[in-house]
Amino acid sequence: MKGFGVNLLGKLHLSSIQTKDLTTLGAAISILMGGLLVVILLSYTHRWKWLWREWLTTVDPKRLGVMYIIVAVLMLIRGGMDALMMRAQQATSVGSSHGVLSSSTFQQVFSAHGTIMIFFAAMGLMFGLFNLMIPLLIGTRDVAFPFLNATSFWLFCAGMVLVNMSLGIGEFSAAGWLAYPPLSELKYSPGVGVDYWIWSLQIAGIGSLMSGINFLVTILRKRCKGMTLMRMPMFVWSSLGASVLIIFAFPILTVTLFLLYLDRTLGMHFFTAGGGGNAMMYVNLIWAWGHPEVYILILPAFGVFSEVVATFSRKRLFGYRSMVWAIWAIVLLSFTVWLHHFFTMGAGADVNGFFGIMTMVIAVPTGVKVFNWLFTMYRGRIKFASPMLWFMGFIVLFTIGGVAGVVMAIPPADFQIHNSLFLVAHFHTMIVSGVLFGYFAGITYWFPKVFGFRLNEKLGKYAFYCWTIGFVLAFVPLYILGLMGATRRLDHYSSSLGWRPLFIVAGIGAVIIALGVVIQLIQLVYSILNRHEYRDVTGDPWNGRTLEWSVPSPAPSYNFAVLPEVRSRDPFWESKKAKVIHVPKKYIDVSMPKNTSSGIVIAVFALMFGFAAVWHIWILAAIGLLGLIIAIIYRLSDDNTEFILSAEKLARQDRVSDLAKEYVR
Amino acid sequence: MKKKTRFIIAVTIVLVLLGALILYLSKINIPVLEPKGPIALKERNLIYFALALSLVVVIPVFLLLGIFAWKYRESNTKAKYSPELDHNGATEALWWVIPGILIAILSVVAWNSSHTLDPYRAIASTTPKIKIQVIALDWKWLFIYPAQGIAAVNFFEIPINTPVEFELTSDAPMNSFWIPQLGGQIYAMPGMNTRLNLMATSLGRYNGWSANISGKDFSYMTFVADSVKHSTFNKWINMSKRSHYHLTSDSYATLSAPGTAKVHVYSKVLPGIFYATIDKYMSPNNTSAVVGSNYTPARANVSKGGMQ
Amino acid sequence: MTETDVLTRKDILKEERMQRDSTRIFGFWVYLMTDCVLFAGLFAVYAVLHNNTFGGPSAKSLFSLHLVLTETLILLTSSFICGLGIVAAHHHNKRLTIVAFLLTMMLGLAFVGLEFGDFYHLASIGDSWRRSAFLSAYFTLVGTHGLHICVGLLWMAVMMFRLLKGKLTQSNIRRLTMLGLFWHFLDVVWIFIFTIVYLMGAVRA
């Protein structure tokens, strides 16, 4: 009889609502206030209907791309706040002082930082760029499966909401961003934190997997006439590589998270200490996903750099063929290096030696790409717009990080570096300068195509300088600290070690990076306010080379009134050179996908299910699952998901011919 | 003109900062780069070697980036402009082959060093090795000297120029055992037995850490290793044998409860306690704490981690 | 400049739909690929853990080959009949399609029933997934396959409802084709389960 009500709510009690810890409470309240502000603003301007019709139910990849990037930027800020707190803690928690955070809060903060930055900031920016640009770059109107695409985005959002719910209700995982068992098992982490981690990644991860399938099929099946594989822009090639990696890597993540949850909930023994479980298997599985994941993130950034360096050097991309081969070498090799994340597990000299060598081999194709980019600049006419600056910063920092990576690829050298701050500095160098700088370059570069006006260049450059200088200040000390014996994830250290000055410098660096983010936000607002001044009337603000610049800015929802036909790698550049712009002579009817609320409905049920699974509220879980199934069946049974955009309308709207006059002139 | 001055100022600032950094680095203590034993020394030399070899690629990259960016800037209309130049078989082959050769050299080094510096490999020496069994607990380290019958918490002594063989396990989540000045890490995992061979060649006190997060007070899971003269070591052993703390099933249970611990030593260590700790995770019969003294270590699961 | 030439709407839409159908089937193949990776992961886990019985029963002492052989025959037959159903659908024979898929469904249900009964039996004699890592891996691998079968059955039920209510349209034929692929795929996965879990388990000492 005892507490049917309690069972009904699973592990959830009124006391689960966060009230004790001031930091998390503050974060939760500020998120709620932010949400409230948006609600008030929408109500005040009567924009609810508009929001629902134009955005929440949209299947237009460009709009989904914009929403991906908005969410990713918000998460970048959240993860950045976590980073600032970590820096504050490590600069103050020394000797007799225990810093600004309790050890449990600190451990939740770094676990959340890693999880959020990889899954919700970096992946979000990546899928945002995929959605914005891939259909335009390959000369098509849409992705292969528009509804699936919208659902992927909303599942990504559901995962994001779940991660942030842990701030207010319950707690987040304190077991690091990859939650190694047995620490992440029920015995050592009895709270709901690890379950929040599992389900937010599981839901977002399934969305990512679906996106991977979608973009693979889009690139392979929806290219315009004449665009052979070897004529695809490099961003499309690298996205194809990333999609293949997603398809092979993400199911492993799904399995691994699922098994950990079974351990924690049904008392299974996959990774437990005792019961025959094998925690080392978890470490192998999670890195069999985790290492490809790194390349999933960085390949598209490489693609952006390839587009940027060619455009701003006003030259064809150097070594296109080697670039393609390098991408596929990286795709293949990225599945053969995962053990380098745990040389210290004692796998034996042969195994360590093999994985060490494979790790080094993967540096070769990466190096090839760097030299090809450099030789794209050779005999060019380089314009140092901000995307190009991000590229230059990337080359410098990425090379340094790469050297650190090669050092760590030698297993015995790694024994002295593993899990130290040197390692932390290494992977931040790769991910910040490689992935983030790449996506920043891409967003600045393609912004006018999406919104019809450019971003302010001056502020963009200031942001770049802040990021670069801040980055050096924040991470060079960490390289040194690692060699001084500082391990990662310490919330306290002894004052006699002499680490403190370096931690303080790193903290200053983090503040400068934060300043860079603030400047980027100011840049955005300033550019929106002055959008008339920055308006891109030509559709081609950077003197571009590829198809996306041949349509007006902002690109219409149907992208191309008449699907293009290409004959070379840089079709738009070639036609500008020949002063021949193909103006459509005849328009035909186009069928376009209708907007649908099914994506967001499915995600709401998934969120409900995830939340219930975290708290063991089985009735809610059943409702969520049932709703999910019904929503999916309902949508998939709908045969009437398209509408016709008439040729007359297209002809009326199309502005390509006006633009053409400008170029030919 | 203005651009040039700005450039010069920027370069000066960078150079001054670099100078300050080098000065600072020369003054501070960097344990990984100041090895006190043969293993750490070889590992440090590997780091230096890889760094030096990498410069063969890094320097050209930096030079090319600087030169190309300067020479082919938009305003320099005198520079050659070849918008159609998009490949060159010979040069492209160059940057497949040269990094390839470097990586081949490094691969040989990686393979050989993986074997010579295999943590399981005994260190060759005329002095007989001593054995220390390490149990990682929540959140402290227990060091057992099975031959001497003593144990210490968060602290151990080793005689100078004597190979030490560590056997490690964990009675808590996964931890990583690391003494930067003596040599690299190895994981300590429940139900597993890993090994690490180290040696100190100078006297001194070296800090040790757990490098893998294991829960709430993981930051306090530090220890010290003292490298001392043989005579001092023997004295310490004899003194420890007289310790009032005995390591029994009960005191082990108290010690292994979650929490931090101060440095102390045990005498009369229950024989086989190390293997019993491993075995309790491996078979269902001994789920209680520790088995008695008739326990045979041969049954314990001595396994290697990683790929299974 | 902007002269419009309106082709007949029907022609364009028909062509687009044909293309879209083939893209969808290709997409479904890619999805099956990801599911393959998922099962590969579970097989790898089973391979690692199959000896970790932790004092509990081993594969040899636990499984009845008779039952498993029956399950296998049922599933193989269902796959064959499902294949007939697809052929019938492509020949626009609605009645035969429905009959074939109903038979497939019945066999599928029988399979799930037998599997569930076996699971229930194991759990009731104390050899549940909590007993050992080996049993956790066994229940999860075989259970995930069973869950897929259930999804397939649900899909079949929805398709039968559509067919009984409506026509054998092009889009329904495409759906049935994908459903057929899914069912055959599960058959292949089961062959691996049968070989690796049951046969090799029975042979091993």
Side-chain angles (χ1 to χ4, degrees):
Chain A
M1 252 348 261
K2 186 186 121 200
F4 179 64
V6 172
N7 282 335
L8 206 61
L9 286 179
K11 294 165 134 188
L12 189 64
H13 293 262
L14 204 59
S15 61
S16 308
I17 292 174
Q18 179 60 251
T19 46
K20 275 162 255 159
D21 190 274
L22 280 181
T23 333
T24 31
L25 187 66
I29 288 176
S30 51
I31 288 176
L32 281 181
M33 295 305 266
L36 202 65
L37 193 72
V38 172
V39 168
I40 291 172
L41 220 67
L42 284 169
S43 307
Y44 185 73
T45 54
H46 304 287
R47 286 293 180 106
W48 280 107
K49 237 181 201 162
W50 164 83
L51 183 73
W52 177 256
R53 270 199 208 139
E54 302 285 317
W55 292 92
L56 302 189
T57 58
T58 188
V59 287
D60 177 0
K62 287 182 293 303
R63 295 206 161 175
L64 290 168
V66 170
M67 290 194 287
Y68 261 118
I69 289 175
I70 291 173
V71 173
V73 167
L74 289 175
M75 287 301 101
L76 190 71
I77 294 169
R78 153 96 215 259
M81 296 282 186
D82 290 337
L84 286 174
M85 284 197 276
M86 281 148 68
R87 285 286 133 262
Q89 171 75 3
Q90 291 188 318
T92 53
S93 180
V94 52
S96 59
S97 159
H98 289 270
V100 289
L101 303 174
S102 68
S103 75
S104 132
T105 311
F106 179 76
Q107 292 180 350
Q108 290 180 45
V109 163
F110 68 64
S111 304
H113 171 78
T115 307
I116 285 174
M117 285 304 203
I118 294 290
F119 279 89
F120 299 106
M123 290 292 274
L125 291 175
M126 180 186 87
F127 283 130
L129 285 179
F130 276 20
N131 271 290
L132 291 181
M133 298 323 295
I134 286 179
L136 277 163
L137 281 166
I138 61 174
T140 185
R141 296 199 175 93
D142 208 333
V143 296
F145 311 114
F147 159 68
L148 190 71
N149 195 28
T151 312
S152 292
F153 168 73
W154 289 111
L155 288 178
F156 164 81
C157 274
M160 181 275 289
V161 170
L162 204 55
V163 139
N164 287 297
M165 266 175 130
S166 69
L167 276 177
I169 310 168
E171 58 183 358
F172 194 63
S173 169
W177 81 284
L178 285 184
Y180 278 17
L183 180 62
S184 57
E185 290 286 357
L186 202 61
K187 183 178 172 191
Y188 297 104
S189 298
V192 293
V194 176
D195 300 303
Y196 264 120
W197 179 81
I198 290 174
W199 282 103
S200 63
L201 296 202
Q202 190 69 289
I203 293 172
I206 287 169
S208 302
L209 182 58
M210 282 159 36
S211 285
I213 297 174
N214 208 340
F215 283 101
L216 177 95
V217 176
T218 304
I219 295 169
L220 289 182
R221 298 298 285 258
K222 299 221 29 156
R223 297 190 310 277
C224 67
K225 235 183 221 167
M227 185 172 282
T228 56
L229 286 173
M230 288 312 266
R231 282 181 190 159
M232 294 198 309
M234 200 47 67
F235 178 70
V236 179
W237 265 117
S238 54
S239 307
L240 183 64
S243 302
V244 169
L245 283 176
I246 289 173
I247 284 165
F248 284 96
F250 267 76
I252 307 177
L253 177 73
T254 308
V255 167
T256 312
L257 295 172
F258 181 52
L259 300 187
L260 183 62
Y261 186 71
L262 289 177
D263 268 6
R264 290 178 57 86
T265 309
L266 293 184
M268 291 202 185
H269 292 288
F270 287 105
F271 314 122
T272 51
N278 186 339
M280 295 183 297
M281 183 173 68
Y282 178 93
V283 179
N284 275 288
L285 283 171
I286 200 84
W287 283 115
W289 158 79
H291 200 84
E293 165 68 6
V294 179
Y295 288 97
I296 290 169
L297 293 176
I298 207 152
L299 280 177
F302 284 173
V304 171
F305 288 131
S306 302
E307 304 299 328
V308 162
V309 73
T311 301
F312 292 97
S313 303
R314 266 195 261 162
K315 215 175 135 246
R316 298 179 64 142
L317 181 68
F318 195 86
Y320 181 93
R321 254 165 218 282
S322 356
M323 289 297 229
V324 173
W325 282 109
I327 288 173
W328 292 101
I330 290 173
V331 167
L332 201 69
L333 289 170
S334 69
F335 278 103
T336 61
V337 300
W338 80 88
L339 192 128
H340 71 215
H341 295 273
F342 44 96
F343 282 142
T344 52
M345 203 178 252
D350 289 347
V351 174
N352 280 353
F354 171 80
F355 280 93
I357 290 171
M358 294 319 283
T359 307
M360 291 170 178
V361 170
I362 209 167
V364 176
T366 316
V368 166
K369 294 186 83 79
V370 170
F371 282 107
N372 279 331
W373 288 319
L374 288 174
F375 273 78
T376 305
M377 292 164 70
Y378 173 68
R379 290 193 186 170
R381 277 276 184 274
I382 305 165
K383 186 181 168 70
F384 292 100
S386 52
M388 192 64 192
L389 290 186
W390 290 114
F391 166 76
M392 308 254 302
F394 151 75
I395 291 285
V396 172
L397 295 176
F398 197 76
T399 309
I400 295 171
V403 169
V406 168
V407 170
M408 287 189 295
I410 304 174
D414 179 67
F415 294 161
Q416 283 283 49
I417 291 170
H418 178 70
N419 268 1
S420 73
L421 287 178
F422 188 97
L423 166 83
V424 172
H426 160 72
F427 69 69
H428 279 87
T429 312
M430 304 319 258
I431 291 179
V432 174
S433 82
V435 177
L436 268 189
F437 281 20
Y439 295 159
F440 288 158
I443 289 170
T444 321
Y445 179 55
W446 282 313
F447 190 90
K449 185 49 62 193
V450 180
F451 293 100
F453 57 96
R454 272 175 291 171
L455 289 168
N456 178 292
E457 268 291 287
K458 204 169 205 174
L459 286 168
K461 286 178 183 174
Y462 289 156
F464 164 76
Y465 289 121
C466 280
W467 266 92
T468 316
I469 294 167
F471 183 85
V472 170
L473 284 179
F475 289 98
V476 168
L478 297 198
Y479 278 113
I480 302 166
L481 279 165
L483 296 176
M484 290 170 84
T487 61
R488 66 198 293 199
R489 298 165 174 168
L490 289 178
D491 69 283
H492 182 262
Y493 51 92
S494 146
S495 57
S496 62
L497 295 162
W499 293 351
R500 194 173 192 189
L502 288 166
F503 272 123
I504 290 174
V505 174
I508 294 170
V511 171
I512 296 178
I513 293 177
L515 186 67
V517 175
V518 171
I519 293 177
Q520 284 173 309
L521 294 176
I522 295 174
Q523 179 198 24
L524 181 67
V525 174
Y526 184 83
S527 308
I528 292 174
L529 293 178
N530 295 286
R531 60 188 175 280
H532 298 297
E533 190 187 326
Y534 299 130
R535 173 124 7 240
D536 167 31
V537 285
T538 62
D540 179 27
W542 310 110
N543 198 359
R545 316 180 63 81
T546 33
L547 280 179
E548 76 274 31
W549 306 112
S550 69
V551 300
S553 305
S557 63
Y558 45 80
N559 288 356
F560 301 91
V562 173
L563 291 182
E565 193 176 336
V566 299
R567 290 189 189 79
S568 69
R569 268 173 213 160
D570 296 307
F572 188 54
W573 175 262
E574 298 295 339
S575 58
K576 278 192 290 189
K577 205 173 67 185
K579 290 192 182 290
V580 182
I581 301 288
H582 294 282
V583 175
K585 291 220 173 59
K586 61 181 178 191
Y587 293 85
I588 50 175
D589 284 1
V590 170
S591 74
M592 296 282 289
K594 275 187 204 163
N595 282 3
T596 169
S597 58
S598 296
I600 193 168
V601 170
I602 286 173
V604 166
F605 282 120
L607 177 64
M608 200 188 275
F609 178 77
F611 182 78
V614 168
W615 288 99
H616 297 182
I617 311 171
W618 302 121
I619 291 175
L620 186 65
I623 296 170
L625 193 63
L626 202 68
L628 200 63
I629 292 169
I630 291 170
I632 291 171
I633 291 175
Y634 175 80
R635 163 70 198 192
L636 294 184
S637 311
D638 190 356
D639 279 327
N640 187 19
T641 58
E642 273 149 13
F643 71 97
I644 306 291
L645 198 62
S646 71
E648 296 85 349
K649 205 169 175 189
L650 278 177
R652 221 177 314 121
Q653 286 183 357
D654 192 19
R655 280 180 52 232
V656 170
S657 52
D658 305 340
L659 295 180
K661 277 176 216 145
E662 301 243 340
Y663 295 118
V664 181
R665 193 179 46 182
Chain B
M1 198 62 212
K2 202 179 144 218
K3 231 176 187 172
K4 220 169 205 172
T5 18
R6 254 200 289 176
F7 182 71
I8 291 168
I9 291 171
V11 170
T12 324
I13 291 174
V14 169
L15 287 178
V16 167
L17 282 176
L18 265 180
L21 180 68
I22 291 168
L23 194 72
Y24 178 72
L25 287 181
S26 67
K27 294 216 159 144
I28 57 169
N29 202 7
I30 304 179
V32 170
L33 304 182
E34 292 157 27
K36 303 291 180 193
I39 303 291
L41 178 72
K42 283 179 197 152
E43 286 169 348
R44 184 205 62 181
N45 291 346
L46 276 175
I47 294 174
Y48 282 165
F49 173 75
L51 280 176
L53 206 59
S54 300
L55 289 182
V56 178
V57 173
V58 174
I59 291 174
V61 166
F62 283 10
L63 282 179
L64 289 178
L65 181 71
I67 292 170
F68 289 173
W70 179 252
K71 190 164 176 201
Y72 300 109
R73 66 192 188 275
E74 198 178 23
S75 54
N76 183 15
T77 46
K78 278 178 284 175
K80 225 173 180 178
Y81 174 48
S82 325
E84 303 299 321
L85 173 69
D86 68 351
H87 71 286
N88 183 318
T91 42
E92 281 176 63
L94 203 66
W95 50 75
W96 279 99
V97 171
I98 290 183
I101 292 171
L102 292 182
I103 293 304
I105 297 170
L106 272 170
S107 296
V108 173
V109 173
W111 181 262
N112 290 339
S113 63
S114 292
H115 287 83
T116 52
L117 290 170
D118 183 0
Y120 284 62
R121 193 184 169 115
I123 297 169
S125 167
T126 47
T127 326
K129 69 179 180 191
I130 63 164
K131 194 171 184 178
I132 301 180
Q133 294 168 332
V134 184
I135 304 179
L137 298 169
D138 263 346
W139 294 279
K140 74 275 290 177
W141 292 93
L142 177 64
F143 301 98
I144 302 165
Y145 292 72
Q148 288 79 2
I150 63 150
V153 173
N154 287 345
F155 165 82
F156 62 90
E157 269 192 20
I158 48 171
I160 188 172
N161 293 327
T162 308
V164 187
E165 187 190 49
F166 296 94
E167 274 194 275
L168 303 97
T169 192
S170 170
D171 201 0
M174 209 182 271
N175 280 282
S176 190
F177 177 82
W178 188 26
I179 311 168
Q181 286 186 296
L182 296 186
Q185 296 168 36
I186 194 87
Y187 281 170
M189 299 173 284
M192 287 289 143
N193 182 350
T194 47
R195 285 193 191 158
L196 178 64
N197 286 278
L198 297 175
M199 184 161 92
T201 45
S202 14
L203 299 176
R205 169 163 283 196
Y206 309 120
N207 289 316
W209 318 92
S210 171
N212 199 60
I213 179 154
S214 55
K216 184 172 155 281
D217 284 337
F218 136 85
S219 303
Y220 300 92
M221 217 173 142
T222 57
F223 59 92
V224 285
D226 274 358
S227 161
V228 295
K229 287 184 194 148
H230 283 266
S231 54
T232 324
F233 177 70
N234 290 335
K235 236 184 265 170
W236 177 71
I237 293 287
N238 286 329
M239 208 176 70
S240 304
K241 278 181 177 167
R242 293 195 294 273
S243 167
H244 296 303
Y245 296 108
H246 299 170
L247 191 59
T248 60
S249 301
D250 289 344
S251 62
Y252 178 80
T254 318
L255 179 71
S256 59
T260 53
K262 291 221 167 72
V263 170
H264 62 281
V265 289
Y266 289 107
S267 60
K268 297 196 176 145
V269 171
L270 184 67
I273 187 171
F274 178 79
Y275 297 106
T277 307
I278 296 174
D279 207 54
K280 79 175 183 197
Y281 290 105
M282 300 311 288
S283 74
N285 307 318
N286 322 310
T287 37
S288 61
V290 171
V291 192
S293 55
N294 57 354
Y295 191 76
T296 50
R299 264 201 60 213
N301 178 49
V302 180
S303 78
K304 290 187 157 194
M307 302 273 299
Q308 287 260 316
Chain C
M1 200 80 176
T2 54
E3 147 209 350
T4 45
D5 180 6
V6 183
L7 290 177
T8 58
R9 282 186 176 167
K10 256 189 180 163
D11 290 347
I12 304 158
L13 293 180
K14 201 176 167 194
E15 200 197 311
E16 279 195 349
R17 178 150 300 155
M18 297 255 286
Q19 261 182 14
R20 202 157 308 157
D21 276 2
S22 89
T23 303
R24 280 178 175 162
I25 289 175
F26 175 62
F28 196 75
W29 274 104
V30 180
Y31 152 72
L32 287 181
M33 186 70 240
T34 68
D35 225 7
C36 248
V37 179
L38 187 133
F39 275 109
L42 289 173
F43 275 111
V45 167
Y46 182 82
V48 171
L49 296 179
H50 74 275
N51 280 331
N52 295 16
T53 51
F54 204 67
S58 68
K60 189 171 186 164
S61 64
L62 216 54
F63 303 139
S64 130
L65 273 185
H66 292 293
L67 175 72
V68 179
L69 212 57
T70 318
E71 285 179 320
T72 308
L73 285 176
I74 288 175
L75 206 59
L76 286 179
T77 315
S78 82
S79 217
F80 176 72
I81 296 173
C82 170
L84 290 182
I86 304 290
V87 174
H90 280 285
H91 283 92
H92 299 278
N93 188 337
K94 184 174 149 184
R95 181 169 298 164
L96 198 60
T97 311
I98 292 177
V99 170
F101 273 94
L102 281 178
L103 268 174
T104 311
M105 261 177 91
M106 273 153 64
L107 288 169
L109 278 171
F111 173 86
V112 172
L114 283 177
E115 187 163 90
F116 183 78
D118 186 36
F119 279 11
Y120 186 80
H121 166 71
L122 286 179
S124 65
I125 59 171
D127 295 328
S128 78
W129 53 84
R130 291 166 187 274
R131 182 67 193 83
S132 70
F134 152 65
L135 280 167
S136 302
Y138 166 75
F139 274 100
T140 308
L141 172 59
V142 179
T144 306
H145 176 266
L147 207 63
H148 275 73
I149 293 279
C150 292
V151 171
L153 289 174
L154 183 66
W155 191 355
M156 278 182 206
V158 173
M159 286 313 297
M160 287 308 101
F161 183 72
R162 279 175 72 92
L163 286 191
L164 289 172
K165 245 183 72 180
K167 280 187 202 149
L168 196 56
T169 57
Q170 201 54 42
S171 85
N172 278 338
I173 293 177
R174 177 191 35 89
R175 285 161 213 259
L176 288 173
T177 310
M178 297 198 316
L179 176 55
L181 283 176
F182 186 66
W183 202 254
H184 293 317
F185 164 73
L186 292 180
D187 213 26
V188 173
V189 173
W190 179 259
I191 297 297
F192 277 93
I193 292 180
F194 178 67
T195 315
I196 291 171
V197 176
Y198 295 107
L199 280 185
M200 286 169 74
V203 166
R204 210 177 283 112

